[in-house]
Amino acid sequence: MSLQVENLEKNMAKLTVEVPAGQFEEAIKAAYNKNKGRFSIPGFRKGKAPLAMIEKMYGLEVFYEEAANIVLDATYPDAADESELEIVSRPEIDLVQIEKGKPFIYTATVAVKPEVTLGEYKGIEVERAVAEVTDEDVEKELKKVQDQNSRLLTVEDRPVEDGDHTVIDFEGFVDGVPFEGGKAEDYSLVIGSHSFIDTFEEQLIGRNIGEECEVNVTFPEVYHSKEVAGKPAMFKVTVKEIKVKELPELNDEFAGEVSEFDTLDEYKADIRAKLLESKEKQAATENENRVVEKVVEGASMDIPEPMLDFQVQNMINDYARRMQSQGMSLSEYMKYTGMSADQMKNQARPQAEKTIRTRLVLEAVVKAENIEISQERLDEELQNMANSYKMEIDQVKSYMGDHGIEQMKEDLAVQEAVDFLVAEAKLV
């Protein structure tokens, strides 16, 4: 294999790879062995016809695509390594020469990691994020615990009121015809939760247990069911149960039941301390973000489009995996939201660019400040991971491989760059 590297504009490069004719012929033989069962040749059992006979009847070109993929898979990784370029995109492959008895030649156009010009990054001034806990914060948290310890009491002597927990049966009609998904029995609905469309919940206020009523609403123009989107609908609803939430009294007894403290004042003090600890962590993260964002704003770089496209696709793939873990495919999500693939990509593009710029700038700071991760620091992080997964450290190393460990080392260096920038910054 021979390689030529041509640097192009805007941080792009072209690799021209020439593969010996013999290697391409071996790939054709491999493609033949994989696909020979597809061909029926008179006088031969299916899958038994020799390569020369298939070539005579169909032409050797029937194996070119498969053979080309075999050669590309075998040679591109080596060509990328030999180029010594920091490639940051998938290659765009063009076949230059594919012919029996001749070298197989192709080009791979790739994006390369752009150079970063840092602006001022030491001693930059940013507004400090302050951690503060107000009395309102404490009361809000206290009421959350109070709500979690509430109980529901059945009400039978009055109609539905705002805030009630109800159980209803309903059936919906559009143009007088029932529609799919518009019927349910023993459905729990909190009045005022706005979990139903339009004014559905408000129209149940004043209704009594056992009373059947008609509720008229209009579906939103943008709705997951296109069958009813934007259309008026009538629901026949029967209120079956009314329950009201009873909150426990906020006193010393309550504090003793929900915490380790004897008095409500002690419990409030503990809530305040925990909220302050949480807000201090949030403030520290916010300070990091503000410092890094300002350093990134002061830097310049020319991000190649394929690098940005690659990051966008990675983000969408990650999102698809998260959706899949929740039982919904990406295609189902797109159908539900009415969003196209291009719309998803356009939506992800600004965050993708921000992610790339931030990483490149922090890597530039690592280089400028000669930040290096010691073996001891790396081993400490690997041990932490081993402890988290309850594995031996050698198992973790084997699982991660050399590439994964090197990536961890780079990530640690980037985090140290963040720590360095914050320590050097002026938080006012």
Side-chain angles (χ1 to χ4, degrees), residues 190-262:
V190 179
I191 306 302
S193 63
H194 303 294
S195 56
F196 267 35
I197 63 167
D198 204 11
T199 59
F200 186 101
E201 295 165 27
E202 289 89 331
Q203 293 179 59
L204 295 183
I205 294 174
R207 305 297 182 177
N208 291 296
I209 294 175
E211 179 182 352
E212 184 181 287
C213 62
E214 292 186 0
V215 172
N216 294 286
V217 296
T218 300
F219 282 95
E221 292 291 340
V222 179
Y223 195 67
H224 62 84
S225 175
K226 293 183 179 179
E227 177 190 358
V228 298
K231 295 181 179 180
M234 185 274 288
F235 285 83
K236 291 181 179 179
V237 184
T238 300
V239 178
K240 300 178 72 173
E241 293 181 29
I242 302 173
K243 294 183 179 182
V244 63
K245 183 184 291 185
E246 183 183 66
L247 298 173
E249 188 177 350
L250 295 177
N251 52 26
D252 293 345
E253 182 181 353
F254 171 78
E257 290 177 353
V258 300
S259 73
E260 60 190 60
F261 302 100
D262 296 325

Side-chain angles (χ1 to χ4, degrees), residues 276-323:
L276 181 60
E277 181 181 1
S278 175
K279 290 202 171 189
E280 284 175 342
K281 290 180 181 178
Q282 293 174 13
T285 300
E286 181 60 26
N287 285 328
E288 283 186 2
N289 292 339
R290 291 179 182 182
V291 170
V292 170
E293 284 174 6
K294 193 160 186 179
V295 173
V296 172
E297 286 174 7
S300 60
M301 68 205 78
D302 187 5
I303 299 175
E305 282 298 311
M307 183 182 189
L308 188 53
D309 293 339
F310 187 59
Q311 180 65 27
V312 166
Q313 191 59 55
N314 282 342
M315 289 173 63
I316 291 175
N317 292 343
D318 287 343
Y319 187 71
R321 283 189 286 271
R322 291 198 301 273
M323 292 297 297

Side-chain angles (χ1 to χ4, degrees), residues 180 221-227 229 319 323 328-341 343-344:
E180 185 178 354
E221 292 291 340
V222 179
Y223 195 67
H224 62 84
S225 175
K226 293 183 179 179
E227 177 190 358
Y319 187 71
M323 292 297 297
M328 180 181 286
S329 68
L330 186 62
S331 59
E332 289 171 334
Y333 170 79
M334 290 168 64
K335 183 179 179 181
Y336 180 83
T337 60
M339 186 177 293
S340 68
Q343 285 174 321
M344 286 196 73

Side-chain angles (χ1 to χ4, degrees), residues 40-59:
S40 296
I41 305 293
F44 295 92
R45 284 183 297 159
K46 195 170 184 179
K48 297 298 182 180
L51 176 59
M53 187 61 68
I54 295 176
E55 180 181 359
K56 183 176 180 180
M57 289 198 66
Y58 295 96

Side-chain angles (χ1 to χ4, degrees), residues 6 17-18 30 43 54 56 70 76 81 102 104 168 181 196-197 216 281 321 360 366 400 411 418 428:
E6 179 184 359
V17 183
E18 182 174 319
I54 295 176
K56 183 176 180 180
I70 291 171
Y76 175 72
D81 288 342
K102 293 185 178 181
F104 176 81
I168 62 173
F196 267 35
I197 63 167
N216 294 286
K281 290 180 181 178
R321 283 189 286 271
L360 290 176
V366 168
M400 293 183 67
D411 291 344
V418 173
V428 297

